Amino acid sequence: MNEDEVGRIMRRYIEGLFPKVCSNCGLRFNSLREYAQITTHKGDPVSYDAALGEWNPSQPLGTLSFANCPCGSTLSISSEGMLAAQMLQLLDWARSETERCAVNMQELLRQLRDEIDMQVFKAPEASAYDDRG
């Protein structure tokens, strides 16, 4: 698995979480692009499995990325619902990538999130991580 494959998997998964609605103000985000345009990232994404040093958990806890809605509420994008086998593949990639690049998990997840955001803004009508490439 390489960075492009990881990006494709993550972007496809995250795009499938929309539409998303803020439970506080009712603002509806119809797409990942709208969400990225309107919200503000809050901190770095967190891999709870990696934070616990669990690189091959039998039941992955997953990853969360937080953002603030314009109303001030904190929203999240979660890996909840992703197949466990796919989560384990992503964790394995992340572990090897953090070692190879000498970065911590938060840095790696931030870089991946920033890359997905950049791709979302470059290609508003189509996913840069689609099946054509």
Side-chain angles (χ1 to χ4, degrees), residues 46-121:
V46 177
S47 168
Y48 291 101
D49 301 296
L52 293 171
E54 293 287 334
W55 296 101
N56 193 20
S58 58
Q59 295 182 341
L61 296 173
T63 302
L64 283 172
S65 180
F66 300 99
N68 284 337
C69 179
C71 77
S73 289
T74 301
L75 307 171
S76 66
I77 299 287
S78 168
S79 62
E80 183 179 1
M82 182 179 279
L83 295 175
Q86 191 154 61
M87 277 297 304
L88 293 176
Q89 284 181 315
L90 293 170
L91 273 170
D92 187 52
W93 173 82
R95 181 177 56 178
S96 65
E97 197 68 7
T98 56
E99 291 170 2
R100 186 181 72 79
C101 297
V103 297
N104 65 37
M105 180 61 92
Q106 290 78 19
E107 290 176 78
L108 181 67
L109 292 174
R110 182 179 352 105
Q111 290 169 5
L112 185 58
R113 181 188 65 196
D114 291 348
E115 178 62 27
I116 290 172
D117 283 353
M118 190 170 35
Q119 293 298 326
V120 164
F121 292 125

